[in-house]
Amino acid sequence: MKKWLYDRPWIWIVVFLGVVMASSVALIIIAHVNRPQVLPH
C-alpha cells in the first residue's frame, strides 16, 4: 500500500485539495450558522 502511494504522488495533491475545500465549506457553514442577528431599529 505504501509503495502504491509513493508511486502516485498526485494522490497526495488531490487529498490535500479535498481537505482544503472541505474545511473552507465547513468554515462557511459554521460562519453562516453562527452569524450575529442584526436587530431592526
Side-chain angles (χ1 to χ4, degrees), residues 4 6 12 15 17-18 20-21 28-29 31 33-34 37-38 41:
W4 186 80
Y6 282 123
W12 297 112
V15 169
L17 288 176
V20 168
M21 288 176 61
I28 289 170
I29 292 172
V33 169
N34 293 332
Q37 298 294 327
V38 177
H41 294 290

Side-chain angles (χ1 to χ4, degrees), residues 19-36:
V19 169
V20 168
M21 288 176 61
S23 62
S24 64
V25 169
L27 189 69
I28 289 170
I29 292 172
I30 291 170
H32 185 73
V33 169
N34 293 332
R35 72 185 188 280

Side-chain angles (χ1 to χ4, degrees), residues 3-18:
K3 186 180 188 315
W4 186 80
L5 286 173
Y6 282 123
D7 289 343
R8 293 158 180 82
W10 57 268
I11 291 175
W12 297 112
I13 298 170
V14 172
V15 169
F16 177 73
L17 288 176

